[in-house]
Amino acid sequence: MTQSPPVGFDLADMTWPPPPYQSPVPPVTAADGVRRFDGVTYATTPGYRPRLLDVQVPAGEGPFPAVVWIHGGGWLEGDRRYPPPTVPAALLHGAVLAAGLALVSIDYRHSLEAPFPAQLHDVKAAIRYVRAFAGTLGIDPGRIGVWGESAGGHLAALAGVTGPDSTDGARLEGTEGVGGGDTGVLAVVDWYGVSDLVALADHPMPPMPSGGEFPDPYEALLGGTEAERPALARAASPVTYAVPTHGGGDTPAPFLLIHGTHDGLVPYSQSEVLAEALRGAGGEVTLRPVEGADHIFLGAPDITPIVAQSVAFLAAHLSAGA
């Protein structure tokens, strides 16, 4: 039996193949005036799950500066909706919105779905999407920052130091989603992210979760070992692009690096190396050690000041971009 198309559906408006993204869903407005766009498809690729993002916009007229949040999980797992277990979502989300910033939380392809640079392509696709639909979302397209933790911190750092004019820039930008447009950001917060995959090749990994074989996260990201793919390991390392420019090139965006000094998964030295490289490239960088803290700030006495410093840094730099 043939079914009739839905009321209001017009075949003349349909295109084939469909675009590799969808327009924002209608927002839901909470009692406090915060508008939410949940489960927006910002990029599709045949054979992969759609990449989704959520947007929370403060009450008021706007347009508002925006922070793109990138989750961690060793590039192997994780979810846009959940910060690490040491950081309550209500604390992180509430602090961002209270500062007058919109929050864009994104998913991206995990490394066993597609190796690097697929993850960076998705981050850049999300930034392009937010700019393309900024008017609908109530976001200022000229004031976007990125904030990530662990694997997400690594991707946030890469977003802050790469662009079309970078070494191998076209390969790193990708064409997913909207396909073209500016992917630059005004500020970066990187919580305990990897900065130099080559230097980590000899770093012993701590015990992985039991109950099944857990892949080596670096080998999964690269699709092989660093020795097998040295060029890709360098291409996936933010320090590769944090270099002095000659001939009037742009300096990196301002960075805030926060890292536990007893991090057993990603050594604190990874943030030290990136801070040194950024300063050498003429960039503004603040490195804050969290004394005695392990990965995801385990052992830190209070997470609230860490979140507050991160939000204040983003608010200052994104407001300055007005």
Side-chain angles (χ1 to χ4, degrees):
M1 180 172 127
T2 302
Q3 293 184 336
S4 300
V7 175
F9 180 84
D10 188 345
L11 283 174
D13 295 332
M14 184 175 178
T15 61
W16 192 263
Y21 57 87
Q22 294 182 9
S23 299
V25 298
V28 174
T29 303
D32 59 4
V34 172
R35 287 179 296 133
R36 296 184 59 104
F37 301 80
D38 290 329
V40 178
T41 299
Y42 73 85
T44 61
T45 306
Y48 298 96
R49 62 193 167 98
R51 268 83 79 206
L52 306 180
L53 59 78
D54 300 332
V55 182
Q56 299 180 64
V57 185
E61 290 300 317
F64 297 96
V67 177
V68 176
W69 167 260
I70 311 171
H71 70 77
W75 309 283
L76 286 161
E77 56 186 357
D79 187 310
R80 71 187 186 279
R81 297 169 295 177
Y82 308 118
T86 49
V87 183
L91 170 64
L92 190 148
H93 296 182
V96 171
L97 292 166
L101 307 174
L103 179 65
V104 181
S105 306
I106 71 169
D107 283 334
Y108 54 87
R109 281 171 290 178
H110 295 155
S111 55
L112 294 185
E113 295 179 89
F116 186 84
Q119 297 71 33
L120 182 58
H121 287 174
D122 289 348
V123 170
K124 288 179 176 285
I127 295 169
R128 287 193 295 263
Y129 183 93
V130 170
R131 284 205 164 97
F133 289 97
T136 302
L137 298 172
I139 286 173
D140 183 341
R143 295 190 287 163
I144 296 176
V146 287
W147 179 5
E149 61 95 16
S150 195
H154 161 260
L155 295 172
L158 281 172
V161 294
T162 62
D165 297 328
S166 304
T167 301
D168 217 10
R171 182 185 177 208
L172 297 176
E173 288 292 298
T175 58
E176 280 74 14
V178 173
D182 180 17
T183 61
V185 297
L186 292 185
V188 179
V189 175
D190 173 0
W191 281 2
Y192 45 84
V194 171
S195 66
D196 187 348
L197 273 75
V198 176
L200 278 176
D202 296 326
H203 176 68
M205 290 288 295
M208 290 290 102
S210 58
E213 184 177 353
F214 196 87
D216 181 290
Y218 304 112
E219 291 185 19
L221 180 69
L222 300 176
T225 65
E226 183 273 336
E228 293 168 337
R229 291 172 167 77
L232 190 58
R234 289 191 297 273
S237 298
V239 294
T240 298
Y241 312 99
V243 295
T245 57
H246 303 284
D250 292 335
T251 57
F255 269 69
L256 172 63
L257 307 173
I258 307 185
H259 207 137
T261 58
H262 288 184
D263 194 323
L265 184 61
V266 179
Y268 178 72
S269 59
Q270 286 281 299
S271 285
E272 290 181 308
V273 167
L274 181 56
E276 182 179 0
L278 289 165
R279 292 189 187 108
E284 174 191 337
V285 57
T286 301
L287 172 58
R288 177 190 170 182
V290 182
E291 296 295 338
D294 201 339
H295 205 62
I296 68 170
F297 301 134
L298 283 169
D302 189 1
I303 296 295
T304 302
I306 299 172
V307 173
Q309 182 180 6
S310 303
V311 172
F313 175 87
L314 290 162
H317 287 286
L318 297 181
S319 297

